[in-house]
Amino acid sequence: DIQMTQSPSSVSASVGDRVTITCRASQGISSWLAWYQQKPGKAPELLIYAASSLQSGVPSRFSGSGSGTDFSLTISSLQPEDFATYYCQQATSFPYTFGQGTKLAIK
Amino acid sequence: QVQLVQSGAEVKKPGSSVKVSCKASGGSFSSHVISWVRQAPGQGLEWMGGIIAIFGTANYAQKFEGRVTITADESTSKAYMELRSLRSDDTAVYYCAGGRIVVEPTTMAGMDVWGQGTTVTVSS
């Protein structure tokens, strides 16, 4: 199975900050990586698919990059509604493993 | 736009089984992989398994192999997840989620539609 490792596991930041979360796959997955946002008590929502494609309706302050084994999610200017937990997931083959999550908290 | 609606909360005894359903409305999921993802209290997301309806065969995470069965019925646009031999650590919210297949057989574009979640509580 492909293991996904996210870092950091938690981060504190302020409104307006730029934040980057990284995700590393244990083997190459081309560009088949997805990023999700989850708020407490809610189902996750897809933000980015195929490493860098923005899901319809997602604000342009979210961006993704990377290929192979190393990926990143960047939020260019944090908004109050962005404080949540973020997960990466490899989408190239079964099992579609998730990273352990990154909790983004208000500083 | 496809929406996924799951069955209601369940309370089960240890050793029993639970079967959760997931109905697609507003479209077909035949070109999607339907995954089941669970989240224990305070924990992260855990992919349990998935099924591509047009192929009809399911794939499971090794952790759940032999204890979970995922099926799909295209005629009713429903998918099901049955988990057997329940333990207290199976207490979690269970989600179904759909992702479009972009490269056969199993590469998908990310899970863009999610059910509302079903809380399963395992307690004696």
Side-chain angles (χ1 to χ4, degrees):
Chain A
D1 296 358
I2 300 171
Q3 308 303 315
M4 307 302 294
T5 304
Q6 279 182 242
S7 62
S9 56
S10 64
V11 58
S12 297
S14 301
V15 172
D17 284 353
R18 180 184 181 91
V19 169
T20 296
I21 299 167
T22 64
C23 181
R24 173 165 288 177
S26 61
Q27 64 190 72
I29 57 171
S30 185
S31 295
W32 299 113
L33 184 100
W35 289 98
Y36 301 88
Q37 177 193 69
Q38 188 182 32
K39 296 181 179 178
K42 299 293 187 182
E45 293 185 0
L46 179 65
L47 298 175
I48 301 284
Y49 63 94
S52 60
S53 296
L54 196 65
Q55 174 68 4
S56 176
V58 174
S60 58
R61 63 181 179 273
F62 291 92
S63 64
S65 65
S67 67
T69 60
D70 293 310
F71 301 87
S72 63
L73 171 72
T74 297
I75 310 171
S76 60
S77 177
L78 278 170
Q79 299 301 300
E81 61 267 30
D82 300 336
F83 293 95
T85 302
Y86 294 83
Y87 296 91
C88 63
Q89 181 194 34
Q90 69 86 8
T92 190
S93 63
F94 290 142
Y96 296 143
T97 41
F98 287 97
Q100 78 276 21
T102 296
K103 184 172 183 178
L104 176 53
I106 300 173
K107 184 182 287 184
Chain B
Q1 173 72 358
V2 175
Q3 290 185 311
L4 300 177
V5 179
Q6 298 180 224
S7 51
E10 302 265 11
V11 179
K12 294 293 184 179
K13 299 286 190 188
S16 66
S17 300
V18 68
K19 191 170 186 176
V20 182
S21 68
C22 170
K23 181 171 174 58
S25 62
S28 168
F29 57 52
S30 60
S31 61
H32 283 61
V33 55
I34 299 295
S35 290
W36 288 88
V37 175
R38 79 175 187 181
Q39 187 169 40
Q43 302 302 306
L45 303 174
E46 184 171 35
W47 188 86
M48 299 177 67
I51 187 166
I52 302 172
I54 57 172
F55 298 146
T57 55
N59 186 279
Y60 306 110
Q62 191 171 14
K63 175 178 179 177
F64 299 100
E65 194 80 58
R67 208 161 65 94
V68 67
T69 301
I70 294 171
T71 55
D73 183 343
E74 275 196 273
S75 66
T76 59
S77 297
K78 273 191 169 182
Y80 301 88
M81 185 281 299
E82 181 180 33
L83 187 63
R84 299 176 292 278
S85 302
L86 289 168
R87 309 185 289 253
S88 58
D89 62 359
D90 291 317
T91 294
V93 177
Y94 290 76
Y95 295 101
C96 62
R100 183 172 50 91
I101 294 294
V102 292
V103 178
E104 290 188 358
T106 59
T107 301
M108 69 157 178
M111 300 187 292
D112 60 341
V113 59
W114 290 71
Q116 80 276 21
T118 297
T119 299
V120 175
T121 303
V122 183
S123 174
S124 55

